[in-house]
Every structure is written in structure tokens, then in C-alpha cells.
Amino acid sequence: MQLERGRLPRHKVCGEFVSAESLDLLTNLLDRDHATLLQGAVRISQARVFLDGRILRTSVDPAAASLARLDLDAALWHSAEVAGVDSHQQVAAQSITGTGPFHVTTTAGEFEARALVNASGRWSNLNLAPAEATPSEKWLGIKAHFAEQSPESSVDLYFFEGGYCGVQPVRVANDDSALGRVNASAMVRAHVASTLAEVFLQHPALQERTRNWTALSNPVSTSPLIFRTPVPEIGGILMVGDAAGFVDPFVGDGISLALRSGALAAKCLGPVFAEQASLSEAASQYRESYRESLLPVFRASSKIRQMLKLPRPVRKPLLTILENAPAIARYAVRKTR
Ligand SMILES: Cc1cc2nc3c(=O)[nH]c(=O)nc-3n(C[C@H](O)[C@H](O)[C@H](O)COP(=O)(O)OP(=O)(O)OC[C@H]3O[C@@H](n4cnc5c(N)ncnc54)[C@H](O)[C@@H]3O)c2cc1C
């Protein structure tokens, strides 16, 4: 059974960059009705980083896909339904008791579950309460789609003091806009900007680029964005995606981690339903596999975050090295995106 508190399709705050290493998994998860989602996706073969008045260019090889969450989340949901999963939207899980089997109270009644996977995102009523952030530490995520004439197949990251904004071309199903479409998604400190218009003013090149944009969707926002050490299992419940841990958005791996941890959780729980393993054995196998295969992504992203926090005079020589050594820049992109 799968439960979703909201309704699909809907826009979600996200850069919509899906790294190449999860595309095979996505192909396997999507029902053949949704094959065109990947076939028709814009491929992103270049990354440009706009930082400290310079542009660092590097290839994204193999190319990533740009997938609108509006279509992707609905396609995944529908594919699970087609595969026979009992699916309920606008039903929220309110509380869980037990350590397996579990007793789940929802807005549509109560039920028992032999195993549970918590995929409820960064912070929900089911997850650890986020630590209180001071206004200067509080981060927001904001995103919207805009019309732009012939955007390049590039993910462009504009960094400024107090945040960044990513821009990349994207397609959505049944799009009737004659121009190209781009997704702009920003992660920004609350005291620096609270709207995309304010974000665009933070970087001269971004301000120039957005001058002729027209909005194709209403902005969506989310807050707070909190980074913490990933926790893959709590009391026998397997935590997947952002519920387990939130990776820096600019590394563009959150969707990939959500898909890969979900697949890992399913693989570990298979033997429980086949009466070949206990829930605690499955949970311990999941914790171990998560540590081995997914934790390295969090480590790489936190190194890049540290670099961006460096004062500008220290960042400068590092950028020069990356500019003059494309192999190192490609390596950095491969390690993070
Ligand atoms: C600014 C920004 C840019 C980003 N850019 C990228 C990017 O380019 N590429 C990338 O890969 N990742 C990116 N990410 C990260 C990515 O969006 C997340 O990692 C991804 O959405 C995680 O998916 P999830 O399924 O774990 O959580 P979510 O997508 O948050 O889904 C959780 C779902 O659970 C539902 N829910 C919550 N509580 C309950 C409940 N009690 N009962 C039932 N349902 C519930 C919610 O309604 C929600 O639909 C970005 C994030 C931000 C903030």
C-alpha cells in the first residue's frame, strides 16, 4: 500500500536534474505507458558554474536527464498502481506504533503493516523534528518554470552570497508554449530573498538572463532546508529518500538517492514477505547497504559545501585550478552530480 498526503500531479521545489546513474533504475520502475517521459526528456550534457564573476564549464558525461517533477512523481505513482500497489492520495499517515508489525493511524482509518517504508520527505509529522534555525541560518527552496528562447542543454548554477539558483531546460507533458521552457530553482537564506524575483537580483548574469522571462507556472516554495547526518532506519521502519537524509540540492542527487534507497529497501524487505528473514535482519541489511552505497554521496556533497563557504580570496585559487584542469572539474562534477 502507498499513501500520499497531497495530490498528484503537482510542482515540487526541485532543480529537476536527474543524474545518469539512476536512469536505468527509473526505466525499470516506470510502466511502459510512461516510457516517453524518459525518451522525450531534455538531456543535460554540460554544467556551468557562475561564481565570483567567472564561469566554470564542464561536461556532464554521461548526460543527465531533466525531468519535471510535475510529470515524474505522477508517472512513478501511476506505475506503482499499474504494478498492483493499493494506492491512496490525500491520505496522511498520522502516527505509527509498534516495532513490527506496526499499527498505522491515518486520516482514512487504521491498519496493520508487517513492514513500513517511510518516504515522507525532509520533514513531516512522521520524522524527527528539525532543529530550530535562527533567521540568518534559515534556508528556503523556491522554484518555478519560465519561458526562454532556445535554452542550452546545460545546468547553470549561479552562486551568490547566501545561496544559489539553478537553471536548466525542461519539458512538461502537453506543453503548448511556443518558446523553450526552463526550470529555475533556488536555495537561499531567508534574510537574503524570499521570492524568485529577489533571487534573480542577487547575481548580475542571472539578472540579465531573466530579463525577458515570462512565468509558465506559479512559484512553489519549501522551508526549512536542514542538513543532518542520514538515519536509514528508526525502530524497524526503513527510511528512504529525504526522510533518511537531505543531500545539498546543488549536487543534484536527491531524486537519485530517493530512487536508489527505495529500491534498496524493497530488496531488503523481499525476504521478510517470503518468510526467509526477520524484519530486524532486513533492517540491519538495509542499514549496512545504505552506509556502503549511499553515504559516500553525502560526504562528497559536504566537501563541496565546505569549499563554497570559504572566503572569496581562498575560493579564487581553487576556481583557477578547476578552470585550468578540466579533468579535475569533470571529476568534481561526477562525484557530486
Ligand atoms: C531547491 C532544491 C533544489 C533541488 N534540486 C534537485 C535536483 O536538481 N535534482 C535532485 O535529484 N534533487 C534535487 N533536490 C532534492 C529533491 O527534491 C529531493 O531529494 C527529493 O524530492 C526527495 O524525494 P522524496 O520522495 O524523499 O521526498 P519528497 O519529494 O519530499 O516526497 C515526500 C512525499 O511524502 C508526502 N508526505 C509527507 N508526510 C506524509 C504523511 N504523513 N502521510 C502521507 N504522505 C506524506 C509529501 O506530501 C510528499 O509528496 C532539490 C531540493 C531543493 C530544496
Side-chain angles (χ1 to χ4, degrees), residues 11-325:
H11 281 289
K12 243 183 208 176
V13 178
C14 187
E16 310 192 323
F17 177 100
V18 183
S19 42
E21 54 269 28
S22 51
L23 295 180
D24 284 348
L25 173 56
L26 198 49
T27 309
N28 289 338
L29 290 173
L30 289 173
D31 179 70
R32 76 168 80 90
D33 274 5
H34 300 290
T36 50
L37 180 75
L38 278 178
Q39 286 155 9
V42 177
R43 294 294 159 150
I44 303 292
S45 52
Q46 180 189 218
R48 292 187 296 202
V49 177
F50 296 73
L51 177 64
D52 298 342
R54 313 162 81 139
I55 308 175
L56 175 67
R57 289 185 173 76
T58 184
S59 57
V60 177
D61 183 20
S66 182
L67 292 170
R69 296 296 295 267
L70 183 73
D71 297 330
L72 175 63
D73 293 19
L76 282 167
W77 181 273
H78 181 246
S79 300
E81 270 182 330
V82 171
V85 178
D86 183 13
S87 305
H88 302 270
Q89 293 189 24
Q90 294 185 294
V91 174
Q94 293 171 307
S95 65
I96 299 165
T97 51
T99 49
F102 302 93
H103 185 81
V104 185
T105 306
T106 78
T107 47
E110 316 217 338
F111 62 88
E112 299 287 318
R114 278 175 75 184
L116 280 182
V117 174
N118 180 338
S120 64
R122 246 172 320 111
W123 49 273
S124 79
N125 55 312
L126 300 176
N127 298 339
L128 304 169
E132 277 299 312
T134 62
S136 66
E137 287 169 340
K138 193 175 165 200
W139 290 92
L140 312 176
I142 322 171
K143 94 95 173 269
H145 286 179
F146 295 88
E148 184 185 270
Q149 189 86 49
S150 315
E152 281 191 52
S153 307
S154 172
V155 53
D156 296 336
L157 301 171
Y158 298 84
F159 286 92
F160 47 84
E161 292 304 326
Y164 88 97
C165 182
V167 179
Q168 69 179 38
V170 70
R171 287 194 191 110
V172 298
N174 311 318
D175 192 0
D176 52 9
S177 109
L179 288 171
R181 174 184 285 255
V182 289
N183 175 33
S185 86
M187 177 173 151
V188 62
R189 286 192 189 274
H191 70 281
V192 171
S194 59
T195 64
L196 279 173
E198 286 169 3
V199 166
F200 297 161
L201 296 177
Q202 305 300 318
H203 194 293
L206 183 60
Q207 193 179 358
E208 180 55 35
R209 178 173 183 172
T210 57
R211 206 177 289 281
N212 297 318
W213 280 6
T214 48
L216 294 176
S217 73
N218 288 326
V220 281
S221 62
T222 179
S223 161
L225 306 178
I226 290 172
F227 307 103
R228 54 175 170 78
T229 314
V231 182
E233 181 252 332
I234 300 176
I237 301 173
L238 306 196
M239 312 293 286
V240 304
D242 283 4
F246 180 51
V247 72
D248 295 56
F250 65 81
V251 306
D253 252 336
I255 299 170
S256 172
L257 283 170
L259 294 171
R260 288 162 65 197
S261 54
L264 202 57
K267 190 173 162 207
C268 294
L269 288 175
V272 176
F273 291 104
E275 314 284 355
Q276 287 161 357
S278 67
L279 184 60
S280 74
E281 284 166 334
S284 118
Q285 199 202 335
Y286 179 68
R287 275 197 312 270
E288 208 171 298
S289 311
Y290 190 101
R291 202 170 302 125
E292 263 173 32
S293 57
L294 305 181
L295 263 193
V297 180
F298 286 88
R299 290 202 197 101
S301 79
S302 107
K303 281 189 196 139
I304 302 280
R305 179 150 35 112
Q306 297 313 320
M307 185 194 136
L308 289 167
K309 272 193 199 158
L310 293 172
R312 194 182 285 229
V314 184
R315 264 192 332 234
K316 220 171 150 188
L318 278 175
L319 278 175
T320 308
I321 295 173
L322 290 174
E323 266 177 343
N324 295 322

